[in-house]
Amino acid sequence: MSGGSGAATEPIEVEVRLGPGGGVEMAREVRLGLTSRPKELAPKYFYDDRGSQLFERITELEEYYPTRAERSILASRSVEVLAAAGEPETLVELGSGSAAKTRHLLSAMRDLGCLGTYVPVDISEAITHETAQTLVEEFPGLTVRGLVCDFEHDLERVPDSGGSRLVAFLGGTIGNLYPDARRAFLSRLAALLGPADHLLLGTDLVKERARLEAAYDDRQGVTAEFNRNVLLVLNQELGADFDPEAFEHVARYDSGEQRMDIRLRSLADQEVRVEALDLTVRFADGEEMRTEISTKFTHDGLERIYEEAGLQMTGWFTDPDGDYALSLASPVEFAD
Ligand code: AVJ
């Protein structure tokens, strides 16, 4: 942690909690994925610098509505959201990144007179520092207590600044988790929340197949490039020799599971060498490897999901078209 004895009065503190085991874990996880049937890779590996840039471009595509929809809810209803959350003094944001949408929440806190502390939690130390600096300049008096970590592992490290908290998990990233992992994650979040705290969760909503599939298979091919980028990440990080051109992007809506199912399909019988794993992997012509699921939710479905995790929904905010939702939840044990 930076700062000395006067640490508590520093406007910005960033704690770094990145264990040295990251690479080992990636190797283990990728080995498991490439030797499973069907093969599968975790979506977190999309996001190296190039992958993050490609994702930024996705958010600007005409077909990709979720980012715009979420932003429009935050832009028009943040005061309402904050009031429903009991005017918290602390905003914790999981996966904060450049905090582009966070400004709406911070402005609303300022307008309501409750703005105290912002706790960005992100995997990128550089972005967290940069964001912290920009925000203290933009919001005089704001205290930033950043945490650099993989929040799926280090959720319990989120500092308690005193006062009530709003923990925001935006962008629809919860949709990447399988039901078991999602339940576990939300239960841990629930355990972290005090009686006056709330969770603010961003979720994409179930809608017609055509719009969903277009959002994940844009005409410009940016999403295809983003999907194939995971192969370049494996080449870089694990000394693999994937030829991204030998795979095509597949994005299908699974209406039974209510989720987008995103895969890479091998365009030939091929062998790929992964040097760091001392592993040679065979792909049959047409074989598909899943790289991401992106679950779509409904109001009632989310109510049940919260309930299973020891939470209860206390607020529901959608864009005018009903494409996307921000919901508020609080821990059940403290219900009044
Ligand atoms: C950042 C996980 C919310 O699931 O919509 C976008 C990622 N993948 N296009 C999503 C993504 C393909 C995105 N999330």
Side-chain angles (χ1 to χ4, degrees):
M1 214 180 269
S2 62
S5 52
T9 60
E10 294 287 330
I12 299 177
E13 277 176 20
V14 175
E15 185 187 353
V16 181
R17 284 254 163 209
L18 287 178
V24 179
E25 213 194 301
M26 176 181 190
R28 219 187 33 209
E29 207 176 0
V30 171
R31 176 190 299 282
L32 186 66
L34 291 178
T35 54
S36 300
R37 273 172 169 271
K39 296 182 179 69
E40 177 154 11
L41 295 170
K44 65 180 166 197
Y45 300 124
F46 286 137
Y47 301 94
D48 65 346
D49 286 344
R50 179 169 182 269
S52 301
Q53 281 167 17
L54 285 166
F55 179 67
E56 281 302 309
R57 285 182 56 200
I58 287 174
T59 65
E60 291 157 13
L61 293 168
E62 197 184 310
E63 295 98 328
Y64 193 77
Y65 59 85
T67 309
R68 268 191 305 278
E70 185 178 64
R71 200 186 303 126
S72 88
I73 303 168
L74 288 168
S76 60
R77 305 184 70 183
S78 276
V79 168
E80 219 183 308
V81 170
L82 266 301
E87 307 190 8
E89 290 127 71
T90 298
L91 174 63
V92 178
E93 186 176 17
L94 305 178
S96 42
S98 63
K101 309 166 212 159
T102 318
R103 285 186 172 71
H104 295 295
L105 290 170
L106 292 174
S107 309
M109 288 167 81
R110 181 186 51 201
D111 296 349
L112 287 164
C114 63
L115 182 59
T117 306
Y118 175 53
V119 181
V121 182
D122 199 84
I123 194 80
S124 165
E125 183 173 1
I127 290 177
T128 303
H129 275 290
E130 213 177 284
T131 303
Q133 195 58 49
T134 313
L135 289 177
V136 295
E137 283 163 22
E138 207 172 316
F139 295 91
L142 176 70
T143 301
V144 177
R145 294 285 173 268
L147 178 62
V148 176
C149 69
D150 175 351
F151 61 77
E152 227 195 302
H153 290 148
D154 300 306
L155 198 55
E156 286 71 20
R157 304 272 177 209
V158 172
D160 192 344
S161 54
S164 65
R165 299 187 291 184
L166 178 63
V167 178
F169 188 26
L170 304 176
T173 307
I174 188 89
N176 282 168
L177 299 181
Y178 285 101
D180 285 350
R182 182 178 67 212
R183 192 179 309 112
F185 182 70
L186 288 176
S187 300
R188 285 168 63 204
L189 256 176
L192 212 70
L193 299 179
D197 297 343
H198 289 80
L199 167 65
L200 180 66
L201 188 68
T203 48
D204 195 12
L205 300 178
V206 168
K207 57 182 61 61
E208 62 181 283
R209 170 184 302 275
R211 285 191 63 212
L212 286 168
E213 292 186 343
Y216 291 85
D217 194 6
D218 61 281
R219 278 162 299 175
Q220 283 184 61
V222 182
T223 309
E225 208 49 39
F226 172 76
N227 192 8
R228 281 192 289 258
N229 186 61
V230 73
L231 303 177
L232 296 178
V233 171
L234 298 196
N235 288 356
Q236 175 71 33
E237 297 298 318
L238 299 174
D241 64 357
F242 279 102
D243 171 12
E245 299 310 310
F247 291 85
E248 71 179 343
H249 172 64
V250 178
R252 273 189 305 255
Y253 183 55
D254 179 338
S255 57
E257 300 285 357
Q258 298 189 331
R259 64 194 185 199
M260 286 303 301
D261 192 339
I262 294 154
R263 303 173 181 204
L264 287 169
R265 181 191 290 140
S266 175
L267 293 170
D269 268 315
Q270 52 180 321
E271 265 183 11
V272 176
R273 178 72 189 158
V274 188
E275 210 47 62
L277 303 181
D278 191 19
L279 178 73
T280 302
V281 191
R282 238 202 105 229
F283 286 86
D285 188 9
E287 179 178 348
E288 293 181 4
M289 170 168 69
R290 181 181 282 154
T291 52
E292 182 179 47
I293 57 162
S294 188
T295 310
K296 307 306 161 190
F297 299 86
T298 61
H299 174 275
D300 292 4
L302 252 184
E303 269 193 329
R304 276 194 302 275
I305 287 165
Y306 279 138
E307 210 174 295
E308 284 173 6
L311 293 162
Q312 61 184 343
M313 193 190 290
T314 60
W316 176 258
F317 307 86
T318 72
D319 56 306
D321 296 332
D323 284 337
Y324 192 94
L326 288 179
S327 55
L328 277 173
S330 58
V332 165
E333 58 209 289
F334 301 109
D336 46 54

